[in-house]
Structures are given as C-alpha cells and as structure tokens.
Amino acid sequence: MISHTGSSRTITRPDTAAGPRAVPRLAHNGPVNAFAPTGPTDPRDPSSPSDPSGAADPLAAFTALRTLEGAALLTELRSYDPAQELATATRLRRSHPAALVSAALGQARLRQRAVAKFGAEDAYRMFFTPNGVEQATRTSVATYRAGRFAAAGVRSVADLCCGIGGDAIALARAGISVLAVDRDPLTAEVARANAAALGLDALIEVRCADVTEIDTAAYDAVFVDPARRGGRGRIFDPEAYSPPLSWATGAALKAPRAALKIAPGIPHEAVPAQAEAEWISDGGDVKEAVLWFGEGFAAGSYRATLLPAGATLSAAAALPAPPVGPVGRYLYEPDGAVIRAHLVADIVERSGGRLIDETIAYVTSDEPYDSPYTSAYEITDRLPFNMKKLKALLRERKVGVLTVKKRGSAVEPEELRRKMKLQGPNAATVFLTRAAGAPTMLIGHPVRPEMP
C-alpha cells in the first residue's frame, strides 16, 4: 500500500452489526467562542449584568448585531482594515456601545475570513462564529454534496450538528427541506439568522437540541457533520469525534439514505463496510471525506471527486498492487483525493505506466498521458540526492524560479531554495523523493496541454 506523510495508527472498524453504542450527550460542533472581548462598561451594552467580569454574553451580543444599529455598523465595517482596528474601535465607541462595537468588529473579521469559503455575496450577508468559520464546509463542496442527495431523489434531510448552517443552505438551494440541529444555543441562532439572511428560512427549520434525541424517521436522508476539533486541536480518532463515528454510523443505517462528513485522513480500515467512501478535493486541495449510505450509493466502493470540474474516479473494490519500474520520460502526480481513496493503481493502469517506488504515489511512463486526475511533468534529469550536484545543474540551466515538490523526503522546500541561491530567467520543478528505494531528485517541467 502506498504510504502518506504522517504517523500511522490502528483503528478498529465500527461494530455496526451490533447496533450503535450509547454515547455521551454532546453532539454539536464544539464550543463557540465569544465574538470579541468587550470594552469599558456602557449603560447600553448587551453585557450580562450578572457577570462580574463584565464580559459580554455571546448570545446577547449576537442579538444586538441584528438590530438596525448593529446592521449599520456591519455595513460600515465591510471593507475595514484590521490593521487599523484600534483606531476604528476608538472612533466607533464615541457613538455606539462598546460591547456592540467589539461584537461588530469581531463579526467583520469573521466575514472577511469567510469569503474564501462562501464567496463575498453570501459571506457579507451571513453571520459566523470563530468555530463556525473554521469548521464549515466551503460552498463548492456543500453544493456538490447537496447535488448528490438531490440526484438520489432526496427531498428532506435531517442535518445533525448543523453548525452555522453552511450545508443546510446548500441543501435548501437544491430544493431540499432541512431540519438543522445543533445543541449550542448561539450556533443554532446563527444558523437561523443565516437561513433568514439568504431567504431560505421557508426551507430550513433550525432546532436547538441534542442530536442524539432527534427522531429522523420522517426524513428522506440524514447528514451528520461531527465535530473533529477539541481543546487541543484536531481529533484524528473517529471514535473521539462528537458524536463518535459509531453513533453517526448507527444513525445513518436507520435512514433510507445518509452522508457522514469525516476527516480526509481517516484510515480505510475505519470505514464501515456498508458505506461508499468518497474523498473530495477542491482546487487541488483535499477538503474532506464523505461516507454515503443507502439506496443509490455503492457500499464498499471508493471514489475520488475533483472540484470544480466534478470529475469522479471510482473503484468497486481495492485494486491489486501496481507494478514498479524505472523513471520514464513523464511523471504524473495524482490529485490528493485519488491518493486518499487508494486509486493510484487505477491511474497506473490507465496510463500504462508504473510506480517509481512501491511506497511513493508518483506514476511514470514513457508515453504522455492526459488525465484530469493527475498533473503531468516531463522529466529532463534524474540525480541521486546531492545538494551540490543539484545546485550546479540549476546554475548551468540558469534557473531562477524553482518549484519544489516532495514525497518521501524530509527536506523542507524553503530550505532547499535558500541553499540553491537561484539566479536566471528559467523555471524548473524538482521532485525530492525515492525511486526504487533510493533518495532521488527528479528535475523537469509541467507538460503544457496541446493547443486544439
């Protein structure tokens, strides 16, 4: 099996045959931070009078943002420069409550961050929490997933652990009615506000509740997005998700159709046998994995989907180990989703090529191969790992722009570029990797697509 960078761990497949085990009543998208620290006490502040620290109640602060005064502040702050926040806050506090100014500044920062996931048109109408921005599905991925639900005939979905409502919004825009559930009161209120802000509240019902107590029998499908972050950062053990993968799988198996959003690094042995496992990349970056259950989805199969093109590669079962051989004229770098889905062997078969090493996900061939699932390079030089020889070669070729890619190497790209002291008008790509078990440097350039 081709390995990835990162530590390995053994995780037992959830025992779904025995039914879901009891889990703690947690099941929401993690704790929600306050929008922002508050300033001096103001008689009009939405601060909690019972809080001796004077800190604002997050729900009260959010409610204040939805007043006419709060909306006007957010409009004014749409294009503010965070580097000028102190001066901006000082100016605004002359005419607005300090806590409202702090909440508005925090929300303005979150909206600016959210543009990358939601686009400017939606982001500046929506509301966010710090965790909500971090954990929400980007619109392109949520739209694709909602499309798969719609294509399967789904017309109603119970969205469990809905967070700020990113997936509920995509489902509603696909014409699907949604019950969006989150246990955290502020998060649920933010999701409700987002549905209203985007004109989707007729299709989205938001409920503040523990997802483990929700009866989903009336819905065509269930979608679960467990929290995968804790107080110490990312959670890698699926049974440490909130709720655990075993509970989410049990909920999925009770529904006619279901999808579970999970971390892309999940080991294949942790994927339930009843699921179709799909890894999704967007713009070349792997964003998430989804486990699909029920009619219309192929249990036991693996799929890699590349957005925005929507190209999908799938296999009904694990493929045999691909052949390994010498580096040829062309090198192919599979998309990360293809690698995560263990479909590199499919690329080898389609290209008529081979791996350069049994543990490295680089494919090589002597003939060109065009595929949406790979980036292609023409290799001009192959060297054993030697910094001095690489530096001399780059100087000889007058390379001033160097792209460094690595797989199976501990060398950091920035360190290598610094040592090369690059000068010249030309560009090149160097791969730091292993070939036939030996540390190797491959030098080349991207293959340009032929003009029609």
Side-chain angles (χ1 to χ4, degrees), residues 81-356:
D81 182 0
Q84 303 298 318
E85 182 165 318
L86 180 59
T88 302
T90 301
R91 174 177 58 82
L92 292 176
R93 283 171 177 165
R94 296 188 187 114
S95 54
H96 300 283
L100 178 60
V101 171
S102 293
L105 286 167
Q107 190 61 216
R109 289 193 302 270
L110 293 174
R111 284 181 167 183
Q112 289 180 354
R113 286 173 55 194
V115 167
K117 283 188 174 182
F118 291 89
E121 184 177 353
D122 281 354
Y124 285 108
R125 291 190 288 165
M126 295 172 65
F127 297 91
F128 301 94
T129 65
N131 285 346
V133 170
E134 183 70 28
Q135 298 184 26
T137 306
R138 65 177 49 229
T139 295
S140 56
V141 178
T143 300
Y144 164 76
R145 182 165 48 237
R148 285 204 76 185
F149 268 132
V154 170
R155 294 296 175 262
S156 62
V157 171
D159 179 2
L160 308 181
C161 308
C162 69
I164 60 168
D167 282 285
I169 289 165
L171 290 164
R173 284 175 169 169
I176 298 171
S177 62
V178 185
L179 171 65
V181 184
D182 201 284
R183 201 185 76 167
D184 180 75
L186 173 60
T187 303
E189 193 60 33
V190 170
R192 188 175 292 112
N194 287 336
L198 300 179
L200 298 168
D201 42 343
L203 284 169
I204 301 174
E205 175 196 348
V206 178
R207 191 179 302 174
C208 183
D210 189 318
V211 299
T212 63
E213 298 178 350
I214 297 297
D215 182 1
T216 62
Y219 296 87
D220 295 341
V222 167
F223 173 63
V224 188
D225 180 6
R228 294 174 300 282
R229 285 182 178 272
R232 298 183 178 180
R234 292 184 184 275
I235 296 171
F236 296 99
D237 180 356
E239 284 307 293
Y241 291 172
S242 176
L245 179 59
S246 56
W247 180 89
T249 299
L253 292 174
K254 293 176 184 177
R257 296 177 181 86
L260 311 182
K261 176 181 171 181
I262 55 175
I266 185 171
H268 279 222
E269 53 269 29
V271 173
Q274 303 93 328
E276 172 191 304
E278 179 177 29
W279 282 259
I280 303 172
S281 69
D282 189 11
D285 295 327
V286 182
K287 296 302 179 183
E288 65 180 57
V290 185
L291 303 181
W292 296 93
F293 297 81
E295 185 179 351
F297 307 114
S301 67
Y302 299 94
R303 174 188 294 252
T305 297
L306 283 53
L307 300 177
T312 293
L313 186 66
S314 62
L319 298 170
V324 179
V327 177
R329 180 177 176 182
Y330 298 97
L331 188 76
Y332 306 104
E333 180 182 31
D335 183 271
V338 173
I339 296 172
R340 294 284 191 181
H342 293 185
L343 295 175
V344 174
D346 192 284
I347 298 297
V348 172
E349 183 177 302
R350 289 167 180 255
S351 66
R354 54 200 175 267
L355 295 178
I356 66 170

Side-chain angles (χ1 to χ4, degrees), residues 337-401:
V338 173
I339 296 172
R340 294 284 191 181
H342 293 185
L343 295 175
V344 174
D346 192 284
I347 298 297
V348 172
E349 183 177 302
R350 289 167 180 255
S351 66
R354 54 200 175 267
L355 295 178
I356 66 170
D357 186 281
E358 64 180 3
T359 65
I360 301 295
Y362 284 139
V363 180
T364 188
S365 72
D366 303 307
E367 301 295 332
Y369 167 66
D370 183 32
S371 167
Y373 307 107
T374 66
S375 299
Y377 299 84
E378 184 173 8
I379 300 302
T380 57
D381 300 272
R382 174 182 173 179
L383 303 172
F385 186 86
N386 187 301
M387 289 287 196
K388 290 184 178 179
K389 289 184 178 181
L390 177 62
K391 184 176 181 180
L393 178 64
L394 296 177
R395 185 185 299 116
E396 177 187 337
R397 303 281 170 83
K398 298 180 180 179
V399 172
V401 178

